[in-house]
Amino acid sequence: MYSFSFSADTDAYKAWLWRQFYHNETKLYLQGGKKWRTAFFMVLPVLMLLAYRANGKANNLFVAGFLSIGPLSWILLHLQKRSHLKKQIKDYVGSKPVQITIDEQGLLYQTDNANTALQWSYFSEYEEFEDTFTLYAEEKGAAPVVLPLHGIADNGPMKELVYHHVKPQRE
């Protein structure tokens, strides 16, 4: 059994949240073959505007406006996610420390007011980022669980428990 204290009100955790956010955004739009699709999707409206400027046909302006809806919605979605994360970080002020216990059975989260025990079978897959695991539940709509092992000096045995009991996330 391994146990450690954790507080979401630390600067290191907030910095990790921002790194995780931008890692996920990069993965969503730029990894794999997605970077060419994203570049094409962003450049095509600009090319149509240039075609309108060159020959003055209204069809090109209409198409450019229509094609701009996609990139603009991507930007608005990104700004909305960023705003949500800022609000979430602002709400961390004054958060109480959490005692996390990891063993062969699963995870136990303890605060002053509550205890939550989660068996390993509850999780279907994990994603690892900078020695922090995001554990995803089997059931649809369940919130993922963040297991922050990045601040622990000897976290090898705890990582091995996650590797042993939960499958890695499929790409």
Side-chain angles (χ1 to χ4, degrees):
M1 176 167 40
Y2 305 97
S3 186
F4 62 95
S5 287
F6 162 75
S7 175
D9 197 22
T10 63
D11 289 337
Y13 183 69
K14 292 174 187 176
W16 174 83
L17 278 175
W18 282 111
R19 285 192 311 273
Q20 177 74 18
F21 172 74
Y22 285 112
H23 168 75
N24 287 340
E25 290 291 291
T26 301
K27 191 166 83 171
L28 181 64
Y29 296 116
L30 299 176
Q31 284 187 351
K34 295 178 185 176
K35 76 175 139 187
W36 296 110
R37 182 191 67 191
T38 300
F40 180 75
F41 198 56
M42 294 295 210
V43 169
L44 192 60
V46 173
L47 292 176
M48 292 307 294
L49 282 173
L50 291 174
Y52 168 72
R53 180 139 174 116
N55 64 14
K57 291 187 179 178
N59 289 345
N60 291 340
L61 183 62
F62 175 74
V63 170
F66 183 72
L67 291 175
S68 297
I69 292 171
L72 289 175
S73 60
W74 274 6
I75 292 168
L76 288 174
L77 181 65
H78 172 76
L79 292 175
Q80 179 186 16
K81 288 182 199 176
R82 194 170 181 270
S83 173
H84 178 70
L85 183 62
K86 276 185 178 180
K87 182 184 179 309
Q88 194 177 16
I89 287 174
K90 190 176 92 178
D91 291 345
Y92 283 150
V93 174
S95 71
K96 303 278 191 262
V98 177
Q99 183 72 26
I100 302 174
T101 305
I102 304 170
D103 60 14
E104 284 293 328
Q105 307 305 314
L107 308 173
L108 176 65
Y109 285 80
Q110 296 174 300
T111 64
D112 295 340
N113 322 18
N115 293 335
T116 303
L118 300 169
Q119 303 294 319
W120 289 116
S121 59
Y122 176 75
F123 304 109
S124 60
E125 55 190 18
Y126 72 87
E127 182 179 20
E128 185 176 7
F129 177 76
E130 291 185 12
D131 288 340
T132 301
F133 292 90
T134 304
L135 303 169
Y136 298 99
E138 185 77 41
E139 63 187 61
K140 295 282 185 199
V145 174
V146 175
L147 186 58
L149 300 179
H150 61 276
I152 302 166
D154 187 24
N155 61 12
M158 291 180 267
K159 289 168 67 172
E160 288 301 320
L161 281 171
V162 175
Y163 297 147
H164 179 69
H165 292 287
V166 186
K167 296 183 303 195
Q169 186 180 36
R170 301 179 227 87
E171 289 296 324

